[in-house]
Amino acid sequence: MILQERPLLLPFLALAVGLTVADQTGFRMPLYGVAAFLACLILSCLTRRRTLFVVCVALFFFALGLCALSPWKTPQYPSASIRTMAGPQSLTLEGVVRSRPVASPDGTSLLVRTEQLFRGGSREAVSGDLMLYVPEGEVSLDQGDRIRFTTRVTVPRRLGLPGEFDYPRYLAFQGVAAIGRVASPEDVVLIRGAAQDSLQRRVDLVARRLGDFIRASVPDEEVSSVLTALLIGDQKRIPADLAAAYTRAGVNHILSISGFHVGIISYFIVMAALLLATRSEYLALRFNLRRAVLLLSLPAMLYYLVLTGSAPATARSVIMLAAFVLALYAERETDPVNALLVAAFLLVAVNPPSLFDISFQLSFLALWGICVIVPPFMERFVRTERRWLRTLLQFVAASCAASLATAVPVLFVFNQASLNGVVSNFLIVPILGYGAVLAGFCALPFVYLFPPLATLLLLIAAKMVLVSNWLIELFAGLPVLSFHGITRLDMLLFLAVMCAATFLRGRKMKTCLCLLLPAAAVVAHLFAPSGADGRLHITMLSVGQAESLLLRLPDGAVVLVDGGGYLHDTGRDFGERTLAPALFKLGVRRIDHMILTHCHPDHIGGFPFVAGTFPVGSFWEATPGGIGDQYDQLRAALDRNRVPIRQLAAGDGITLSGGVSLRVLSPRTLQKRPGMQANDMDLNEDSLVFRLSYGSFSMLFTADSGFPAEERMLADGRDLRSTVLKVGHHGSRYSTSEAFLKRVAPKLAMISAGRGNRFGLPSPDTLDSLERRGIPVWRTDYDGTVELVSDGLIWSVSSICSAD
């Protein structure tokens, strides 16, 4: 019965499951396998066994899902692919811009279809799409322009860090084979404008002109960026702080062009057309104008979809509204769930990777929640005949339903969710949705017809955006829901609840499942295994050309040694983007001891954010303390939270919990020298070196110490013998001397380094020295995040998150 009412339910679910299995396991169904299941499906149509037909439908679409991702996950690159040109040398390339350039406060990105490589005075044919980044300024280019530029081609790879964003997968789903970067817009040379003309290019030119007109009419960047997002879908220009405020306020959905925007615009077009058409007696007598004008919204919606960039949320809205328009025109009954299934199935069938787009997922889940919750709520609990009150309650129910339906997925992806939208929607949606969007949309045609009127209307819309931004700052100050423990099991149970609430018939069964499944998720969290298992866990995090080690003591206490970081200022917070997500993913909620070996940016970079986000029990550093801006930020965060600070020098010993002890080997007691700078190379030789012991197991942490520090430690005559050596200075040839290796006599070496780093680390000399002594090496650039576990007697090492 349910499959008759929802004919696309089974095909979509089977296709989605097949795509998910293929994405997570890497399994690919060959085409002949899909053909075999298609043959079975066709043959099942010849029988009267409905069950057999249903099974064959499910198997065919599941097999189709297993096969559909092959062009993106396992593409066949030709020998002349741009991907094969990756390397340290710079190449001069020529190609055609494939899509609308994306500008943001961080720069501009261009998708370029490469065609020619200039090398040694000759031309070579190349192929493949390259994502070109221009970190500063805006590039005045459009789709179809032929350009030339010089860049170093790289193939993006995962670090192998828990919780990291899978950037290579993201690019692969866009068909990008490699990436490149130029310093400024002047490094991109326009060879020929409109080398390849197309309808999409002409639409993009319209979008560019509209965006430029909006920015010229409204100079305030915070206002004009919101207006361009509302009207033409250009969200990337919104300043990061303002975008974060909209997210915390729970109304960031208003910035994404979706059903709300398209519905308002379509309704406006239909009512305006109806108003004009009814002025004609001839049309009024010969046509059913209410039905006829509905069709006018279809080309308008389609054009607006292309104009705004065809985002998944917009495409979903256009498909659903088109289905409703056609149903109304044909005087057929409409069903929102079936319309939602039609939109989802069409989008995923046309572009399978869209299933994994977070905007696609949240857009569908929000509307799914509204379809499931609002109708029964209004039917059972709203008895009033007052229209304004019913509308108000319906608005409240829709806002709550959308927030609830997206809360678990948002927590799973972003680790925090805002329920403030339940309140803020009351003000922001009318101001922006019914005010700024409508005024701005009315202005767009007059950009060409009568610019002064367009400017006036945009200024009216800008005033509304200005009020909205002010309110957003107030709502953004309200607390948000933060939880870092949502698992895949939670997501599976959440989807099961949504399916039960939507598709089950029996009220008792539906109620039981909707109560029992969330209860099962809560029980699973309450009885989750403790981090204290009586063993010492040492995790070398794969943080690129940087260093950070996480220690879990036998009793569950957490020690964080160094915080990684960027070698140069990128304007991004390493702690917020990289280190903190990894710690949360590993289940860290508190850091009992934070240890800074020295204040070079690749060791301290993530600490300021982490110290302000996690509870920290104590902070230890090498005497005489650190220097530099990042160190000052770290100390400010520690001081705000009143974290005890201790400086360590050679000879100090600390007894940690769980039977673990620590002995400091370097540096000797020092004083800060006048004029010392953060890039002073002495920081390496004065970095904190210590030996950690647990039973018969021991590990030597050498930070970035080199030959001078090693010679001092050898001269001091202290016990250096250790089971494991954390190799100094990322495996530099100026550290880990033969004499030092002989004294330490490790059974295992661990090195933190970034894949293909420009320093050539770890050095072949260091690797050869370790190999001659028969010491196995685990390194983050090839092994990803590495975990060593010991019970004090025996030990083992493994990769817990492999690198590409």
mmCIF file with all atom_site columns, all heavy atoms in Angstrom, residues 530-545:
data_model
loop_
_atom_site.group_PDB
_atom_site.id
_atom_site.type_symbol
_atom_site.label_atom_id
_atom_site.label_alt_id
_atom_site.label_comp_id
_atom_site.label_asym_id
_atom_site.label_entity_id
_atom_site.label_seq_id
_atom_site.pdbx_PDB_ins_code
_atom_site.Cartn_x
_atom_site.Cartn_y
_atom_site.Cartn_z
_atom_site.occupancy
_atom_site.B_iso_or_equiv
_atom_site.pdbx_formal_charge
_atom_site.auth_seq_id
_atom_site.auth_comp_id
_atom_site.auth_asym_id
_atom_site.auth_atom_id
_atom_site.pdbx_PDB_model_num
ATOM 1   N N   . SER A 1 530 ? 34.512 3.822  28.446 1.00 0.00 ? 530 SER A N   1
ATOM 2   C CA  . SER A 1 530 ? 35.341 4.898  28.985 1.00 0.00 ? 530 SER A CA  1
ATOM 3   C C   . SER A 1 530 ? 36.681 4.947  28.266 1.00 0.00 ? 530 SER A C   1
ATOM 4   O O   . SER A 1 530 ? 37.170 3.944  27.739 1.00 0.00 ? 530 SER A O   1
ATOM 5   C CB  . SER A 1 530 ? 35.561 4.679  30.484 1.00 0.00 ? 530 SER A CB  1
ATOM 6   O OG  . SER A 1 530 ? 36.532 5.566  30.979 1.00 0.00 ? 530 SER A OG  1
ATOM 7   N N   . GLY A 1 531 ? 37.288 6.153  28.246 1.00 0.00 ? 531 GLY A N   1
ATOM 8   C CA  . GLY A 1 531 ? 38.604 6.303  27.637 1.00 0.00 ? 531 GLY A CA  1
ATOM 9   C C   . GLY A 1 531 ? 39.710 5.688  28.467 1.00 0.00 ? 531 GLY A C   1
ATOM 10  O O   . GLY A 1 531 ? 40.838 5.509  27.991 1.00 0.00 ? 531 GLY A O   1
ATOM 11  N N   . ALA A 1 532 ? 39.434 5.349  29.707 1.00 0.00 ? 532 ALA A N   1
ATOM 12  C CA  . ALA A 1 532 ? 40.438 4.751  30.590 1.00 0.00 ? 532 ALA A CA  1
ATOM 13  C C   . ALA A 1 532 ? 40.380 3.237  30.468 1.00 0.00 ? 532 ALA A C   1
ATOM 14  O O   . ALA A 1 532 ? 39.428 2.610  30.922 1.00 0.00 ? 532 ALA A O   1
ATOM 15  C CB  . ALA A 1 532 ? 40.182 5.182  32.039 1.00 0.00 ? 532 ALA A CB  1
ATOM 16  N N   . ASP A 1 533 ? 41.389 2.656  29.819 1.00 0.00 ? 533 ASP A N   1
ATOM 17  C CA  . ASP A 1 533 ? 41.419 1.201  29.663 1.00 0.00 ? 533 ASP A CA  1
ATOM 18  C C   . ASP A 1 533 ? 42.651 0.574  30.301 1.00 0.00 ? 533 ASP A C   1
ATOM 19  O O   . ASP A 1 533 ? 42.979 -0.577 30.032 1.00 0.00 ? 533 ASP A O   1
ATOM 20  C CB  . ASP A 1 533 ? 41.349 0.833  28.178 1.00 0.00 ? 533 ASP A CB  1
ATOM 21  C CG  . ASP A 1 533 ? 42.533 1.366  27.385 1.00 0.00 ? 533 ASP A CG  1
ATOM 22  O OD1 . ASP A 1 533 ? 43.391 2.062  27.977 1.00 0.00 ? 533 ASP A OD1 1
ATOM 23  O OD2 . ASP A 1 533 ? 42.606 1.087  26.176 1.00 0.00 ? 533 ASP A OD2 1
ATOM 24  N N   . GLY A 1 534 ? 43.357 1.347  31.162 1.00 0.00 ? 534 GLY A N   1
ATOM 25  C CA  . GLY A 1 534 ? 44.533 0.814  31.844 1.00 0.00 ? 534 GLY A CA  1
ATOM 26  C C   . GLY A 1 534 ? 45.773 0.763  30.975 1.00 0.00 ? 534 GLY A C   1
ATOM 27  O O   . GLY A 1 534 ? 46.794 0.211  31.396 1.00 0.00 ? 534 GLY A O   1
ATOM 28  N N   . ARG A 1 535 ? 45.721 1.366  29.789 1.00 0.00 ? 535 ARG A N   1
ATOM 29  C CA  . ARG A 1 535 ? 46.884 1.372  28.902 1.00 0.00 ? 535 ARG A CA  1
ATOM 30  C C   . ARG A 1 535 ? 47.256 2.805  28.530 1.00 0.00 ? 535 ARG A C   1
ATOM 31  O O   . ARG A 1 535 ? 46.434 3.720  28.596 1.00 0.00 ? 535 ARG A O   1
ATOM 32  C CB  . ARG A 1 535 ? 46.598 0.563  27.639 1.00 0.00 ? 535 ARG A CB  1
ATOM 33  C CG  . ARG A 1 535 ? 46.290 -0.902 27.889 1.00 0.00 ? 535 ARG A CG  1
ATOM 34  C CD  . ARG A 1 535 ? 46.088 -1.642 26.566 1.00 0.00 ? 535 ARG A CD  1
ATOM 35  N NE  . ARG A 1 535 ? 44.936 -1.124 25.839 1.00 0.00 ? 535 ARG A NE  1
ATOM 36  C CZ  . ARG A 1 535 ? 44.614 -1.497 24.606 1.00 0.00 ? 535 ARG A CZ  1
ATOM 37  N NH1 . ARG A 1 535 ? 45.373 -2.388 23.966 1.00 0.00 ? 535 ARG A NH1 1
ATOM 38  N NH2 . ARG A 1 535 ? 43.546 -0.993 24.011 1.00 0.00 ? 535 ARG A NH2 1
ATOM 39  N N   . LEU A 1 536 ? 48.497 2.981  28.127 1.00 0.00 ? 536 LEU A N   1
ATOM 40  C CA  . LEU A 1 536 ? 48.990 4.282  27.673 1.00 0.00 ? 536 LEU A CA  1
ATOM 41  C C   . LEU A 1 536 ? 48.800 4.370  26.161 1.00 0.00 ? 536 LEU A C   1
ATOM 42  O O   . LEU A 1 536 ? 49.261 3.500  25.419 1.00 0.00 ? 536 LEU A O   1
ATOM 43  C CB  . LEU A 1 536 ? 50.460 4.439  28.031 1.00 0.00 ? 536 LEU A CB  1
ATOM 44  C CG  . LEU A 1 536 ? 51.181 5.682  27.475 1.00 0.00 ? 536 LEU A CG  1
ATOM 45  C CD1 . LEU A 1 536 ? 50.585 6.953  28.063 1.00 0.00 ? 536 LEU A CD1 1
ATOM 46  C CD2 . LEU A 1 536 ? 52.683 5.603  27.752 1.00 0.00 ? 536 LEU A CD2 1
ATOM 47  N N   . HIS A 1 537 ? 48.104 5.415  25.720 1.00 0.00 ? 537 HIS A N   1
ATOM 48  C CA  . HIS A 1 537 ? 47.882 5.646  24.286 1.00 0.00 ? 537 HIS A CA  1
ATOM 49  C C   . HIS A 1 537 ? 48.634 6.907  23.880 1.00 0.00 ? 537 HIS A C   1
ATOM 50  O O   . HIS A 1 537 ? 48.414 7.980  24.450 1.00 0.00 ? 537 HIS A O   1
ATOM 51  C CB  . HIS A 1 537 ? 46.397 5.822  23.984 1.00 0.00 ? 537 HIS A CB  1
ATOM 52  C CG  . HIS A 1 537 ? 45.574 4.611  24.255 1.00 0.00 ? 537 HIS A CG  1
ATOM 53  N ND1 . HIS A 1 537 ? 45.073 3.807  23.249 1.00 0.00 ? 537 HIS A ND1 1
ATOM 54  C CD2 . HIS A 1 537 ? 45.144 4.046  25.421 1.00 0.00 ? 537 HIS A CD2 1
ATOM 55  C CE1 . HIS A 1 537 ? 44.374 2.815  23.778 1.00 0.00 ? 537 HIS A CE1 1
ATOM 56  N NE2 . HIS A 1 537 ? 44.402 2.944  25.090 1.00 0.00 ? 537 HIS A NE2 1
ATOM 57  N N   . ILE A 1 538 ? 49.512 6.791  22.892 1.00 0.00 ? 538 ILE A N   1
ATOM 58  C CA  . ILE A 1 538 ? 50.251 7.934  22.365 1.00 0.00 ? 538 ILE A CA  1
ATOM 59  C C   . ILE A 1 538 ? 49.880 8.071  20.900 1.00 0.00 ? 538 ILE A C   1
ATOM 60  O O   . ILE A 1 538 ? 50.177 7.190  20.087 1.00 0.00 ? 538 ILE A O   1
ATOM 61  C CB  . ILE A 1 538 ? 51.765 7.754  22.527 1.00 0.00 ? 538 ILE A CB  1
ATOM 62  C CG1 . ILE A 1 538 ? 52.126 7.590  24.012 1.00 0.00 ? 538 ILE A CG1 1
ATOM 63  C CG2 . ILE A 1 538 ? 52.517 8.941  21.917 1.00 0.00 ? 538 ILE A CG2 1
ATOM 64  C CD1 . ILE A 1 538 ? 53.584 7.257  24.257 1.00 0.00 ? 538 ILE A CD1 1
ATOM 65  N N   . THR A 1 539 ? 49.221 9.168  20.549 1.00 0.00 ? 539 THR A N   1
ATOM 66  C CA  . THR A 1 539 ? 48.733 9.378  19.192 1.00 0.00 ? 539 THR A CA  1
ATOM 67  C C   . THR A 1 539 ? 49.475 10.538 18.558 1.00 0.00 ? 539 THR A C   1
ATOM 68  O O   . THR A 1 539 ? 49.401 11.674 19.042 1.00 0.00 ? 539 THR A O   1
ATOM 69  C CB  . THR A 1 539 ? 47.226 9.676  19.184 1.00 0.00 ? 539 THR A CB  1
ATOM 70  O OG1 . THR A 1 539 ? 46.529 8.629  19.871 1.00 0.00 ? 539 THR A OG1 1
ATOM 71  C CG2 . THR A 1 539 ? 46.699 9.779  17.771 1.00 0.00 ? 539 THR A CG2 1
ATOM 72  N N   . MET A 1 540 ? 50.211 10.243 17.485 1.00 0.00 ? 540 MET A N   1
ATOM 73  C CA  . MET A 1 540 ? 50.868 11.298 16.717 1.00 0.00 ? 540 MET A CA  1
ATOM 74  C C   . MET A 1 540 ? 49.890 11.744 15.639 1.00 0.00 ? 540 MET A C   1
ATOM 75  O O   . MET A 1 540 ? 49.617 11.019 14.684 1.00 0.00 ? 540 MET A O   1
ATOM 76  C CB  . MET A 1 540 ? 52.179 10.803 16.102 1.00 0.00 ? 540 MET A CB  1
ATOM 77  C CG  . MET A 1 540 ? 52.872 11.839 15.233 1.00 0.00 ? 540 MET A CG  1
ATOM 78  S SD  . MET A 1 540 ? 54.502 11.292 14.650 1.00 0.00 ? 540 MET A SD  1
ATOM 79  C CE  . MET A 1 540 ? 55.501 11.728 16.064 1.00 0.00 ? 540 MET A CE  1
ATOM 80  N N   . LEU A 1 541 ? 49.352 12.943 15.800 1.00 0.00 ? 541 LEU A N   1
ATOM 81  C CA  . LEU A 1 541 ? 48.343 13.457 14.880 1.00 0.00 ? 541 LEU A CA  1
ATOM 82  C C   . LEU A 1 541 ? 48.989 13.881 13.566 1.00 0.00 ? 541 LEU A C   1
ATOM 83  O O   . LEU A 1 541 ? 50.047 14.525 13.560 1.00 0.00 ? 541 LEU A O   1
ATOM 84  C CB  . LEU A 1 541 ? 47.619 14.645 15.506 1.00 0.00 ? 541 LEU A CB  1
ATOM 85  C CG  . LEU A 1 541 ? 46.903 14.362 16.837 1.00 0.00 ? 541 LEU A CG  1
ATOM 86  C CD1 . LEU A 1 541 ? 46.356 15.650 17.424 1.00 0.00 ? 541 LEU A CD1 1
ATOM 87  C CD2 . LEU A 1 541 ? 45.791 13.345 16.650 1.00 0.00 ? 541 LEU A CD2 1
ATOM 88  N N   . SER A 1 542 ? 48.347 13.551 12.482 1.00 0.00 ? 542 SER A N   1
ATOM 89  C CA  . SER A 1 542 ? 48.854 13.930 11.163 1.00 0.00 ? 542 SER A CA  1
ATOM 90  C C   . SER A 1 542 ? 48.382 15.345 10.861 1.00 0.00 ? 542 SER A C   1
ATOM 91  O O   . SER A 1 542 ? 47.295 15.554 10.310 1.00 0.00 ? 542 SER A O   1
ATOM 92  C CB  . SER A 1 542 ? 48.353 12.948 10.095 1.00 0.00 ? 542 SER A CB  1
ATOM 93  O OG  . SER A 1 542 ? 48.863 13.274 8.835  1.00 0.00 ? 542 SER A OG  1
ATOM 94  N N   . VAL A 1 543 ? 49.209 16.323 11.202 1.00 0.00 ? 543 VAL A N   1
ATOM 95  C CA  . VAL A 1 543 ? 48.841 17.736 11.082 1.00 0.00 ? 543 VAL A CA  1
ATOM 96  C C   . VAL A 1 543 ? 49.676 18.446 10.024 1.00 0.00 ? 543 VAL A C   1
ATOM 97  O O   . VAL A 1 543 ? 49.886 19.662 10.096 1.00 0.00 ? 543 VAL A O   1
ATOM 98  C CB  . VAL A 1 543 ? 48.971 18.454 12.442 1.00 0.00 ? 543 VAL A CB  1
ATOM 99  C CG1 . VAL A 1 543 ? 47.887 17.997 13.399 1.00 0.00 ? 543 VAL A CG1 1
ATOM 100 C CG2 . VAL A 1 543 ? 50.343 18.225 13.061 1.00 0.00 ? 543 VAL A CG2 1
ATOM 101 N N   . GLY A 1 544 ? 50.141 17.703 9.025  1.00 0.00 ? 544 GLY A N   1
ATOM 102 C CA  . GLY A 1 544 ? 50.928 18.320 7.963  1.00 0.00 ? 544 GLY A CA  1
ATOM 103 C C   . GLY A 1 544 ? 52.352 18.580 8.421  1.00 0.00 ? 544 GLY A C   1
ATOM 104 O O   . GLY A 1 544 ? 52.910 17.845 9.243  1.00 0.00 ? 544 GLY A O   1
ATOM 105 N N   . GLN A 1 545 ? 52.954 19.658 7.874  1.00 0.00 ? 545 GLN A N   1
ATOM 106 C CA  . GLN A 1 545 ? 54.328 19.994 8.236  1.00 0.00 ? 545 GLN A CA  1
ATOM 107 C C   . GLN A 1 545 ? 54.318 20.736 9.574  1.00 0.00 ? 545 GLN A C   1
ATOM 108 O O   . GLN A 1 545 ? 54.613 21.920 9.674  1.00 0.00 ? 545 GLN A O   1
ATOM 109 C CB  . GLN A 1 545 ? 54.991 20.836 7.142  1.00 0.00 ? 545 GLN A CB  1
ATOM 110 C CG  . GLN A 1 545 ? 56.478 21.067 7.326  1.00 0.00 ? 545 GLN A CG  1
ATOM 111 C CD  . GLN A 1 545 ? 57.263 19.781 7.506  1.00 0.00 ? 545 GLN A CD  1
ATOM 112 O OE1 . GLN A 1 545 ? 56.937 18.771 6.899  1.00 0.00 ? 545 GLN A OE1 1
ATOM 113 N NE2 . GLN A 1 545 ? 58.275 19.811 8.350  1.00 0.00 ? 545 GLN A NE2 1
#
